[in-house]
């Protein structure tokens, strides 16, 4: 018996009773669904109930706006809404729904049973593109701001194995800072336009788009696009180990005096005055009013138990006058002096 692909007839040439019923499952929750399929998670949902697919039916799950074919599954036994399926096609090769047959655009964003003639066309289109490769591509546009952003994100998530060589995990490394981040929080950034020196980077195959798109954490993704100096400075500053908020820390400057115009020109800095505590904190969090040193951020990752969480600064943030610069009175024994940030010195 020949095993050549051309030896097998297409679905279109088979009798109608041999063609399985095809259910189009176009999920609006494209991010969670694509991650569930890429991670082989049980959170991948299929239509259930009496009107849903039955044993022997085929479910085609499509995600995104234009629609990326994420999976083609043969339905097995079921227990309520819990299905057992055999995956006929997975996210190993990218296929776009609109390229499967003429008239596919009419089904964009919808779910339900396909007419027999379109069911044949869908199965043939999937088989042909899986064997010969996709016929068209997707222009990512302006990364997350473009209309095709969900499709590009789905393509990259489903094509993770092709890029990394292994299945997607619950947490993946950011492509730039290399921190492990919940994959639901990673954003898809198209680096192809930068590499090709264009604004749209069109004309690439879907495989090239997948390899040109990188998954990044939100702070790193923001740094890849035009933004203000203050936004970049905030993103580069350490995350507060007390409350976990990023972008709200201010650098503490010690041992200096400045006039009002200098103080007002540096809103991201607080002045600690001449009395420098030992050890001196480097950062002040405006969210929880904690102050901490740079070493706290580093040792927090290395210490299995973790260092003590920085304590909030008590009292109001007040301006220090000349009288306040004098040596403070001695504290009673057993009372710890706590540093408080000031607006200017």
């Amino acid at each position: 018996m020949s095993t050549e692909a051309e030896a097998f007839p297409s679905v279109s040439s088979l009798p109608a009773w041999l063609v399985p019923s095809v259910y189009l499952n176009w999920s609006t929750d494209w991010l969670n669904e694509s991650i569930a399929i890429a991670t082989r998670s049980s959170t991948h949902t299929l239509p259930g109930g009496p009107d849903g697919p039955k044993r022997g039916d085929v479910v085609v799950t499509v995600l995104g706006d234009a629609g990326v074919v994420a999976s083609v599954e043969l339905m097995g036994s079921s227990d309520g809404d819990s299905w057992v399926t055999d995956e006929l096609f997975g996210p190993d090769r990218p296929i776009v729904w609109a390229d499967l047959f003429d008239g596919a655009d009419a089904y964009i964003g919808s779910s339900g049973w396909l007419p027999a003639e379109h069911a044949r066309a869908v199965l043939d289109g999937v088989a042909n593109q899986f064997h010969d490769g996709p016929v068209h591509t997707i222009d990512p546009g302006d990364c997350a701001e473009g209309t095709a952003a969900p499709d590009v994100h789905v393509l990259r998530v489903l094509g993770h194995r092709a890029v990394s060589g292994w299945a997607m995990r619950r947490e993946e490394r950011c492509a730039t800072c290399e921190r492990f981040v919940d994959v639901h929080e990673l954003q898809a950034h198209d680096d192809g336009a930068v590499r090709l020196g264009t604004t749209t980077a069109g004309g690439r195959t879907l495989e090239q788009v997948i390899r040109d798109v990188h998954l990044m954490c939100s702070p790193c993704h923001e740094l890849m696009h035009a933004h203000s100096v203050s936004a970049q400075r905030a993103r580069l500053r350490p995350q507060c180990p007390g409350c976990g908020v990023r972008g709200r820390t201010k650098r503490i400057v010690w041992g200096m005096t400045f006039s009002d115009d200098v103080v007002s020109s540096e809103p991201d800095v607080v002045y600690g005055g001449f009395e420098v505590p030992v050890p001196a904190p480097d950062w002040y969090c405006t969210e929880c009013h904690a102050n901490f040193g740079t070493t706290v951020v580093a040792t927090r990752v290395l210490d299995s138990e973790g260092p003590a969480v920085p304590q909030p600064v008590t009292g109001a943030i007040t301006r220090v006058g000349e009288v306040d610069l004098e040596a403070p009175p001695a504290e009673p024994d057993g009372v710890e002096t706590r540093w408080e940030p000031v607006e200017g010195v």
Side-chain angles (χ1 to χ4, degrees):
M1 178 178 178
S2 174
T3 57
E4 294 295 328
E6 56 269 17
F8 294 97
S10 67
V11 175
S12 301
S13 64
L14 297 176
W17 59 271
L18 276 179
V19 179
S21 299
V22 176
Y23 188 95
L24 173 60
N25 177 32
W26 201 304
S27 176
T28 57
D29 191 6
W30 57 267
L31 178 59
N32 289 329
E33 274 292 287
S34 59
I35 292 175
I37 293 174
T39 57
R40 312 295 183 183
S41 170
S42 59
T43 57
H44 167 47
T45 58
L46 293 172
D51 297 330
K54 303 298 186 293
R55 180 181 178 90
D57 294 337
V58 173
V59 175
V60 180
T61 298
V62 183
L63 305 171
D65 291 340
V68 177
V69 180
S71 66
V72 178
E73 298 165 282
L74 179 64
M75 304 303 293
S77 60
S78 66
D79 180 14
D81 290 341
S82 178
W83 292 97
V84 176
T85 65
D86 291 324
E87 186 178 70
L88 303 181
F89 165 79
D92 299 322
R93 293 193 182 185
I95 294 176
V96 178
W97 168 262
D99 295 335
L100 292 180
F101 65 96
D102 292 335
D105 291 344
Y107 294 97
I108 289 180
S110 62
S111 296
W113 298 100
L114 296 178
E117 63 275 14
H118 289 169
R120 291 170 174 259
V122 165
L123 297 179
D124 276 345
V126 170
N128 293 336
Q129 292 200 48
F130 186 78
H131 180 265
D132 301 327
V135 296
H136 292 111
T137 187
I138 291 178
D139 185 358
D142 187 16
C143 206
E145 302 299 327
T147 56
D151 303 287
V152 175
H153 201 150
V154 169
L155 273 176
R156 179 56 178 81
V157 169
L158 296 177
H160 178 79
R161 183 189 294 271
V163 175
S164 63
W166 59 76
M168 178 167 279
R169 300 163 293 191
R170 187 180 65 86
E171 290 186 341
E172 288 291 343
R173 289 185 186 273
C174 168
T176 55
C177 70
E178 298 186 298
R179 292 186 303 112
F180 278 101
V181 181
D182 188 327
V183 70
H184 292 83
E185 300 176 3
L186 290 174
Q187 299 180 13
H189 172 73
D190 176 35
D191 198 47
V194 177
R195 179 177 58 82
L196 297 175
T198 67
T199 56
T200 59
R204 293 171 293 172
T205 65
L206 291 179
E207 288 85 352
Q208 289 172 329
V209 171
I210 290 174
R211 285 172 171 78
D212 286 342
V213 173
H214 302 274
L215 296 177
M216 299 181 180
C217 64
S218 178
C220 288
H221 190 213
E222 183 175 336
L223 293 177
M224 301 301 296
H225 293 271
H227 52 274
S228 64
V229 172
S230 60
Q232 178 166 337
R233 183 168 57 243
R235 288 298 188 184
L236 290 176
R237 289 185 171 182
Q239 179 180 5
C240 175
C243 63
V245 174
R246 182 180 294 276
R248 299 291 183 88
T249 54
K250 293 187 176 184
R251 185 181 295 279
I252 304 172
V253 177
W254 297 99
M256 296 184 182
T257 59
F258 292 100
S259 58
D260 290 341
D261 58 339
V262 175
V263 171
S264 61
S265 67
E266 293 190 300
D268 291 336
V269 172
V270 294
Y271 300 94
F274 284 105
E275 297 294 330
V276 183
V278 178
D282 303 306
W283 302 99
Y284 168 71
C285 177
T286 60
E287 187 72 18
C288 68
H289 308 294
N291 54 88
F292 57 95
T294 303
T295 55
V296 173
V297 180
T299 57
R300 192 172 181 81
V301 180
L302 301 177
D303 192 347
S304 59
E305 297 181 356
V309 175
Q311 297 300 312
V313 175
T314 59
I317 300 177
T318 58
R319 185 179 183 82
V320 176
E322 294 181 358
V323 178
D324 299 316
L325 295 178
E326 300 176 358
E331 296 287 347
D333 294 338
V335 178
E336 180 183 357
T337 301
R338 178 171 291 172
W339 170 81
E340 297 182 11
V342 294
E343 295 180 359
V345 182

